[in-house]
Short mmCIF file of all heavy atoms in Angstrom, two decimals:
data_model
loop_
_atom_site.label_atom_id
_atom_site.label_comp_id
_atom_site.label_asym_id
_atom_site.label_seq_id
_atom_site.Cartn_x
_atom_site.Cartn_y
_atom_site.Cartn_z
N SER A 9 -70.73 53.21 -156.84
CA SER A 9 -72.07 53.72 -157.13
C SER A 9 -72.91 52.62 -157.75
O SER A 9 -72.39 51.72 -158.42
CB SER A 9 -72.01 54.91 -158.09
OG SER A 9 -71.29 55.97 -157.51
N GLU A 10 -74.22 52.70 -157.57
CA GLU A 10 -75.12 51.69 -158.12
C GLU A 10 -75.16 51.78 -159.64
O GLU A 10 -75.17 52.87 -160.21
CB GLU A 10 -76.52 51.87 -157.55
CG GLU A 10 -77.48 50.77 -157.96
CD GLU A 10 -78.84 50.89 -157.29
OE1 GLU A 10 -78.99 51.73 -156.39
OE2 GLU A 10 -79.76 50.13 -157.68
N ALA A 11 -75.18 50.64 -160.30
CA ALA A 11 -75.27 50.56 -161.76
C ALA A 11 -76.52 49.79 -162.14
O ALA A 11 -77.02 48.96 -161.37
CB ALA A 11 -74.05 49.87 -162.34
N ASN A 12 -77.05 50.06 -163.33
CA ASN A 12 -78.25 49.36 -163.80
C ASN A 12 -77.95 47.91 -164.16
O ASN A 12 -78.79 47.03 -163.97
CB ASN A 12 -78.85 50.08 -165.01
CG ASN A 12 -79.42 51.43 -164.63
OD1 ASN A 12 -80.02 51.59 -163.57
ND2 ASN A 12 -79.21 52.43 -165.48
N SER A 13 -76.74 47.67 -164.67
CA SER A 13 -76.37 46.31 -165.05
C SER A 13 -74.86 46.24 -165.25
O SER A 13 -74.19 47.26 -165.42
CB SER A 13 -77.07 45.89 -166.35
OG SER A 13 -76.57 46.65 -167.43
N TYR A 14 -74.36 45.01 -165.28
CA TYR A 14 -72.93 44.82 -165.55
C TYR A 14 -72.62 45.18 -167.00
O TYR A 14 -71.55 45.70 -167.30
CB TYR A 14 -72.53 43.37 -165.25
CG TYR A 14 -71.04 43.13 -165.38
CD1 TYR A 14 -70.14 43.73 -164.50
CD2 TYR A 14 -70.53 42.32 -166.39
CE1 TYR A 14 -68.78 43.51 -164.62
CE2 TYR A 14 -69.17 42.10 -166.52
CZ TYR A 14 -68.29 42.71 -165.63
OH TYR A 14 -66.94 42.51 -165.76
N ASP A 15 -73.59 44.94 -167.90
CA ASP A 15 -73.40 45.31 -169.30
C ASP A 15 -73.19 46.81 -169.45
O ASP A 15 -72.39 47.25 -170.28
CB ASP A 15 -74.60 44.86 -170.14
CG ASP A 15 -74.63 43.35 -170.36
OD1 ASP A 15 -73.56 42.72 -170.19
OD2 ASP A 15 -75.71 42.81 -170.66
N GLU A 16 -73.90 47.59 -168.67
CA GLU A 16 -73.73 49.05 -168.70
C GLU A 16 -72.31 49.43 -168.28
O GLU A 16 -71.68 50.31 -168.88
CB GLU A 16 -74.74 49.71 -167.76
CG GLU A 16 -74.61 51.22 -167.68
CD GLU A 16 -75.52 51.81 -166.60
OE1 GLU A 16 -75.34 51.46 -165.41
OE2 GLU A 16 -76.39 52.62 -166.96
N ILE A 17 -71.80 48.76 -167.25
CA ILE A 17 -70.44 49.02 -166.77
C ILE A 17 -69.43 48.70 -167.88
O ILE A 17 -68.53 49.49 -168.16
CB ILE A 17 -70.14 48.18 -165.50
CG1 ILE A 17 -71.02 48.65 -164.34
CG2 ILE A 17 -68.66 48.26 -165.13
CD1 ILE A 17 -70.99 47.75 -163.13
N LYS A 18 -69.59 47.54 -168.52
CA LYS A 18 -68.68 47.13 -169.59
C LYS A 18 -68.74 48.09 -170.77
O LYS A 18 -67.71 48.46 -171.34
CB LYS A 18 -69.01 45.71 -170.05
CG LYS A 18 -68.56 44.63 -169.08
CD LYS A 18 -69.06 43.25 -169.47
CE LYS A 18 -68.60 42.84 -170.84
NZ LYS A 18 -69.08 41.48 -171.20
N SER A 19 -69.94 48.52 -171.13
CA SER A 19 -70.10 49.43 -172.26
C SER A 19 -69.42 50.77 -171.99
O SER A 19 -68.72 51.31 -172.87
CB SER A 19 -71.60 49.64 -172.53
OG SER A 19 -71.78 50.59 -173.56
N SER A 20 -69.60 51.30 -170.80
CA SER A 20 -68.97 52.56 -170.43
C SER A 20 -67.45 52.43 -170.47
O SER A 20 -66.74 53.31 -171.00
CB SER A 20 -69.43 52.99 -169.04
OG SER A 20 -68.75 54.16 -168.63
N TYR A 21 -66.95 51.33 -169.95
CA TYR A 21 -65.50 51.08 -169.95
C TYR A 21 -64.95 51.03 -171.38
O TYR A 21 -63.94 51.66 -171.70
CB TYR A 21 -65.22 49.77 -169.22
CG TYR A 21 -63.83 49.22 -169.45
CD1 TYR A 21 -62.73 49.78 -168.82
CD2 TYR A 21 -63.63 48.14 -170.31
CE1 TYR A 21 -61.45 49.28 -169.04
CE2 TYR A 21 -62.35 47.64 -170.54
CZ TYR A 21 -61.28 48.20 -169.90
OH TYR A 21 -60.01 47.72 -170.12
N GLU A 22 -65.63 50.29 -172.25
CA GLU A 22 -65.16 50.14 -173.63
C GLU A 22 -65.17 51.47 -174.38
O GLU A 22 -64.26 51.75 -175.18
CB GLU A 22 -66.01 49.09 -174.35
CG GLU A 22 -65.72 47.68 -173.85
CD GLU A 22 -66.77 46.66 -174.28
OE1 GLU A 22 -67.75 47.05 -174.97
OE2 GLU A 22 -66.61 45.48 -173.92
N GLN A 23 -66.19 52.30 -174.13
CA GLN A 23 -66.25 53.61 -174.77
C GLN A 23 -65.09 54.50 -174.34
O GLN A 23 -64.47 55.18 -175.15
CB GLN A 23 -67.59 54.29 -174.46
CG GLN A 23 -68.77 53.69 -175.19
CD GLN A 23 -70.08 54.37 -174.83
OE1 GLN A 23 -70.09 55.45 -174.25
NE2 GLN A 23 -71.19 53.74 -175.19
N VAL A 24 -64.78 54.48 -173.03
CA VAL A 24 -63.66 55.27 -172.52
C VAL A 24 -62.35 54.75 -173.09
O VAL A 24 -61.49 55.53 -173.52
CB VAL A 24 -63.64 55.26 -170.97
CG1 VAL A 24 -62.33 55.85 -170.45
CG2 VAL A 24 -64.82 56.05 -170.43
N LEU A 25 -62.19 53.45 -173.12
CA LEU A 25 -60.95 52.85 -173.63
C LEU A 25 -60.70 53.24 -175.08
O LEU A 25 -59.57 53.51 -175.49
CB LEU A 25 -61.01 51.33 -173.48
CG LEU A 25 -59.76 50.54 -173.89
CD1 LEU A 25 -58.55 50.97 -173.06
CD2 LEU A 25 -60.00 49.04 -173.75
N GLU A 26 -61.77 53.31 -175.88
CA GLU A 26 -61.63 53.61 -177.31
C GLU A 26 -61.52 55.10 -177.60
O GLU A 26 -60.85 55.49 -178.56
CB GLU A 26 -62.83 53.03 -178.07
CG GLU A 26 -62.85 51.51 -178.13
CD GLU A 26 -64.10 50.96 -178.81
OE1 GLU A 26 -64.83 51.76 -179.45
OE2 GLU A 26 -64.36 49.76 -178.69
N ASN A 27 -62.16 55.94 -176.79
CA ASN A 27 -62.31 57.34 -177.18
C ASN A 27 -61.63 58.38 -176.28
O ASN A 27 -61.42 59.51 -176.71
CB ASN A 27 -63.81 57.70 -177.26
CG ASN A 27 -64.55 56.80 -178.24
OD1 ASN A 27 -64.11 56.61 -179.35
ND2 ASN A 27 -65.67 56.23 -177.80
N ALA A 28 -61.32 58.02 -175.06
CA ALA A 28 -60.81 59.03 -174.12
C ALA A 28 -59.30 59.20 -174.21
O ALA A 28 -58.57 58.28 -174.61
CB ALA A 28 -61.20 58.65 -172.69
N ASP A 29 -58.83 60.39 -173.84
CA ASP A 29 -57.40 60.64 -173.70
C ASP A 29 -56.99 60.12 -172.33
O ASP A 29 -57.32 60.72 -171.30
CB ASP A 29 -57.12 62.14 -173.82
CG ASP A 29 -55.64 62.47 -173.65
OD1 ASP A 29 -54.84 61.52 -173.47
OD2 ASP A 29 -55.29 63.65 -173.69
N LEU A 30 -56.26 59.02 -172.32
CA LEU A 30 -55.92 58.36 -171.07
C LEU A 30 -54.51 58.70 -170.59
O LEU A 30 -53.98 58.06 -169.69
CB LEU A 30 -56.07 56.85 -171.22
CG LEU A 30 -57.50 56.39 -171.54
CD1 LEU A 30 -57.54 54.91 -171.86
CD2 LEU A 30 -58.44 56.72 -170.38
N THR A 31 -53.92 59.72 -171.20
CA THR A 31 -52.57 60.12 -170.79
C THR A 31 -52.57 61.07 -169.61
O THR A 31 -51.55 61.23 -168.94
CB THR A 31 -51.83 60.79 -171.97
OG1 THR A 31 -52.54 61.98 -172.35
CG2 THR A 31 -51.73 59.84 -173.16
N ILE A 32 -53.71 61.71 -169.36
CA ILE A 32 -53.80 62.70 -168.28
C ILE A 32 -54.63 62.13 -167.13
O ILE A 32 -55.76 61.69 -167.32
CB ILE A 32 -54.43 64.01 -168.78
CG1 ILE A 32 -53.58 64.60 -169.91
CG2 ILE A 32 -54.57 65.01 -167.64
CD1 ILE A 32 -54.19 65.79 -170.60
N ARG A 33 -54.06 62.16 -165.93
CA ARG A 33 -54.74 61.65 -164.75
C ARG A 33 -55.94 62.53 -164.41
O ARG A 33 -55.82 63.75 -164.31
CB ARG A 33 -53.77 61.62 -163.56
CG ARG A 33 -54.41 61.18 -162.24
CD ARG A 33 -53.39 61.18 -161.10
NE ARG A 33 -52.87 62.52 -160.82
CZ ARG A 33 -53.42 63.38 -159.96
NH1 ARG A 33 -54.52 63.06 -159.29
NH2 ARG A 33 -52.86 64.55 -159.76
N PRO A 34 -57.12 61.91 -164.20
CA PRO A 34 -58.28 62.72 -163.81
C PRO A 34 -58.13 63.23 -162.38
O PRO A 34 -57.49 62.59 -161.54
CB PRO A 34 -59.45 61.74 -163.93
CG PRO A 34 -58.84 60.39 -163.80
CD PRO A 34 -57.45 60.50 -164.36
N SER A 35 -58.73 64.36 -162.09
CA SER A 35 -58.57 65.00 -160.78
C SER A 35 -59.20 64.20 -159.65
O SER A 35 -58.85 64.38 -158.49
CB SER A 35 -59.18 66.41 -160.81
OG SER A 35 -60.57 66.32 -161.11
N PHE A 36 -60.12 63.29 -159.99
CA PHE A 36 -60.81 62.51 -158.96
C PHE A 36 -60.11 61.20 -158.62
O PHE A 36 -60.64 60.37 -157.89
CB PHE A 36 -62.27 62.22 -159.37
CG PHE A 36 -62.40 61.47 -160.68
CD1 PHE A 36 -62.22 60.09 -160.74
CD2 PHE A 36 -62.72 62.15 -161.84
CE1 PHE A 36 -62.34 59.40 -161.93
CE2 PHE A 36 -62.85 61.47 -163.04
CZ PHE A 36 -62.66 60.09 -163.09
N TRP A 37 -58.91 61.01 -159.13
CA TRP A 37 -58.18 59.75 -158.90
C TRP A 37 -56.73 60.06 -158.55
O TRP A 37 -56.11 60.95 -159.12
CB TRP A 37 -58.23 58.90 -160.17
CG TRP A 37 -57.69 57.50 -160.01
CD1 TRP A 37 -58.42 56.37 -159.75
CD2 TRP A 37 -56.32 57.08 -160.10
NE1 TRP A 37 -57.58 55.28 -159.67
CE2 TRP A 37 -56.29 55.69 -159.89
CE3 TRP A 37 -55.14 57.75 -160.33
CZ2 TRP A 37 -55.12 54.95 -159.90
CZ3 TRP A 37 -53.95 57.03 -160.34
CH2 TRP A 37 -53.96 55.64 -160.14
N GLY A 38 -56.21 59.33 -157.57
CA GLY A 38 -54.81 59.53 -157.21
C GLY A 38 -54.42 58.69 -156.01
O GLY A 38 -55.11 57.74 -155.63
N GLY A 39 -53.31 59.09 -155.40
CA GLY A 39 -52.73 58.28 -154.35
C GLY A 39 -53.10 58.70 -152.95
O GLY A 39 -53.48 59.85 -152.69
N PHE A 40 -52.97 57.73 -152.06
CA PHE A 40 -53.11 57.93 -150.62
C PHE A 40 -51.85 57.42 -149.94
O PHE A 40 -51.24 56.45 -150.39
CB PHE A 40 -54.32 57.19 -150.05
CG PHE A 40 -55.65 57.72 -150.50
CD1 PHE A 40 -56.30 57.17 -151.60
CD2 PHE A 40 -56.25 58.78 -149.83
CE1 PHE A 40 -57.53 57.65 -152.01
CE2 PHE A 40 -57.48 59.27 -150.24
CZ PHE A 40 -58.12 58.70 -151.33
N VAL A 41 -51.48 58.06 -148.85
CA VAL A 41 -50.30 57.69 -148.08
C VAL A 41 -50.71 57.35 -146.65
O VAL A 41 -51.42 58.13 -146.01
CB VAL A 41 -49.27 58.84 -148.03
CG1 VAL A 41 -48.05 58.44 -147.20
CG2 VAL A 41 -48.86 59.26 -149.42
N ILE A 42 -50.26 56.21 -146.17
CA ILE A 42 -50.43 55.86 -144.76
C ILE A 42 -49.07 56.01 -144.09
O ILE A 42 -48.08 55.41 -144.53
CB ILE A 42 -50.93 54.41 -144.58
CG1 ILE A 42 -52.26 54.22 -145.30
CG2 ILE A 42 -51.07 54.08 -143.09
CD1 ILE A 42 -52.70 52.77 -145.42
N ASN A 43 -49.02 56.82 -143.04
CA ASN A 43 -47.80 56.97 -142.23
C ASN A 43 -48.02 56.23 -140.92
O ASN A 43 -48.80 56.67 -140.07
CB ASN A 43 -47.51 58.45 -141.96
CG ASN A 43 -47.17 59.21 -143.22
OD1 ASN A 43 -47.90 60.10 -143.61
ND2 ASN A 43 -46.07 58.88 -143.86
N PRO A 44 -47.35 55.10 -140.73
CA PRO A 44 -47.61 54.28 -139.54
C PRO A 44 -47.10 54.90 -138.24
O PRO A 44 -46.06 55.57 -138.21
CB PRO A 44 -46.85 52.98 -139.82
CG PRO A 44 -46.58 52.99 -141.29
CD PRO A 44 -46.45 54.43 -141.66
N THR A 45 -47.85 54.64 -137.18
CA THR A 45 -47.45 54.98 -135.82
C THR A 45 -47.44 53.74 -134.94
O THR A 45 -47.11 53.80 -133.75
CB THR A 45 -48.39 56.03 -135.20
OG1 THR A 45 -49.73 55.54 -135.26
CG2 THR A 45 -48.31 57.36 -135.95
N PHE A 46 -47.80 52.60 -135.53
CA PHE A 46 -47.89 51.33 -134.79
C PHE A 46 -47.69 50.18 -135.77
O PHE A 46 -48.20 50.20 -136.89
CB PHE A 46 -49.28 51.22 -134.15
CG PHE A 46 -49.60 49.87 -133.55
CD1 PHE A 46 -49.37 49.63 -132.20
CD2 PHE A 46 -50.13 48.85 -134.32
CE1 PHE A 46 -49.66 48.39 -131.65
CE2 PHE A 46 -50.43 47.60 -133.77
CZ PHE A 46 -50.19 47.38 -132.43
N PHE A 47 -46.91 49.18 -135.34
CA PHE A 47 -46.75 47.94 -136.09
C PHE A 47 -46.92 46.77 -135.12
O PHE A 47 -46.46 46.84 -133.98
CB PHE A 47 -45.35 47.79 -136.69
CG PHE A 47 -45.09 48.58 -137.94
CD1 PHE A 47 -44.63 49.88 -137.87
CD2 PHE A 47 -45.26 47.99 -139.18
CE1 PHE A 47 -44.34 50.59 -139.02
CE2 PHE A 47 -44.98 48.70 -140.35
CZ PHE A 47 -44.52 50.01 -140.26
N GLU A 48 -47.54 45.70 -135.61
CA GLU A 48 -47.45 44.41 -134.92
C GLU A 48 -47.01 43.37 -135.93
O GLU A 48 -47.61 43.23 -137.00
CB GLU A 48 -48.77 43.98 -134.30
CG GLU A 48 -48.62 42.63 -133.59
CD GLU A 48 -49.93 41.99 -133.17
OE1 GLU A 48 -50.89 42.73 -132.88
OE2 GLU A 48 -49.98 40.74 -133.14
N PHE A 49 -45.95 42.64 -135.58
CA PHE A 49 -45.45 41.54 -136.39
C PHE A 49 -45.80 40.24 -135.69
O PHE A 49 -45.38 40.01 -134.55
CB PHE A 49 -43.94 41.66 -136.59
CG PHE A 49 -43.55 42.90 -137.36
CD1 PHE A 49 -43.23 44.07 -136.69
CD2 PHE A 49 -43.51 42.88 -138.74
CE1 PHE A 49 -42.88 45.21 -137.39
CE2 PHE A 49 -43.16 44.02 -139.45
CZ PHE A 49 -42.84 45.19 -138.77
N TRP A 50 -46.57 39.41 -136.37
CA TRP A 50 -47.12 38.18 -135.79
C TRP A 50 -46.59 36.99 -136.58
O TRP A 50 -46.68 36.97 -137.81
CB TRP A 50 -48.63 38.25 -135.87
CG TRP A 50 -49.40 37.07 -135.35
CD1 TRP A 50 -49.96 36.94 -134.11
CD2 TRP A 50 -49.77 35.89 -136.09
NE1 TRP A 50 -50.64 35.73 -134.04
CE2 TRP A 50 -50.53 35.07 -135.24
CE3 TRP A 50 -49.51 35.45 -137.39
CZ2 TRP A 50 -51.05 33.85 -135.63
CZ3 TRP A 50 -50.01 34.22 -137.80
CH2 TRP A 50 -50.77 33.44 -136.92
N LYS A 51 -46.02 36.03 -135.86
CA LYS A 51 -45.56 34.79 -136.48
C LYS A 51 -46.31 33.63 -135.85
O LYS A 51 -46.24 33.41 -134.63
CB LYS A 51 -44.06 34.60 -136.22
CG LYS A 51 -43.18 35.15 -137.33
CD LYS A 51 -43.27 34.33 -138.59
CE LYS A 51 -42.04 34.51 -139.44
NZ LYS A 51 -42.15 33.75 -140.69
N GLY A 52 -47.04 32.88 -136.68
CA GLY A 52 -47.85 31.78 -136.17
C GLY A 52 -47.00 30.59 -135.74
O GLY A 52 -45.92 30.35 -136.27
N HIS A 53 -47.52 29.87 -134.77
CA HIS A 53 -46.87 28.67 -134.23
C HIS A 53 -47.89 27.56 -134.21
O HIS A 53 -49.09 27.80 -133.97
CB HIS A 53 -46.36 28.97 -132.81
CG HIS A 53 -45.53 27.88 -132.21
ND1 HIS A 53 -46.07 26.76 -131.61
CD2 HIS A 53 -44.18 27.74 -132.11
CE1 HIS A 53 -45.11 25.98 -131.17
NE2 HIS A 53 -43.95 26.55 -131.46
N GLU A 54 -47.44 26.33 -134.45
CA GLU A 54 -48.40 25.22 -134.56
C GLU A 54 -49.20 24.98 -133.30
O GLU A 54 -50.30 24.45 -133.34
CB GLU A 54 -47.67 23.94 -134.99
CG GLU A 54 -46.61 23.46 -134.03
CD GLU A 54 -45.93 22.19 -134.51
OE1 GLU A 54 -46.64 21.32 -135.05
OE2 GLU A 54 -44.71 22.08 -134.34
#
């Protein structure tokens, strides 16, 4: 998302680091899984 400045980003980060409960995963963040159906293995030659 667009930010007003990098300083704003740093300030928000520092506030969360100091004040938030970081033991619980937020619902908007998590893992993705890729299940392959195709592989290509390429080895370069001079």
Side-chain angles (χ1 to χ4, degrees):
S9 298
E10 186 175 351
N12 292 321
S13 68
Y14 186 67
D15 287 340
E16 177 187 61
I17 294 170
K18 285 173 59 179
S19 176
S20 175
Y21 165 76
E22 288 165 0
Q23 287 179 15
V24 169
L25 184 60
E26 290 176 13
N27 303 311
D29 179 1
L30 298 173
T31 62
I32 300 172
R33 177 180 63 89
S35 60
F36 58 80
W37 188 96
F40 292 95
V41 179
I42 302 168
N43 295 115
T45 56
F46 170 94
F47 282 88
E48 180 191 330
F49 296 92
W50 179 96
K51 267 289 203 182
H53 187 278
E54 61 180 320

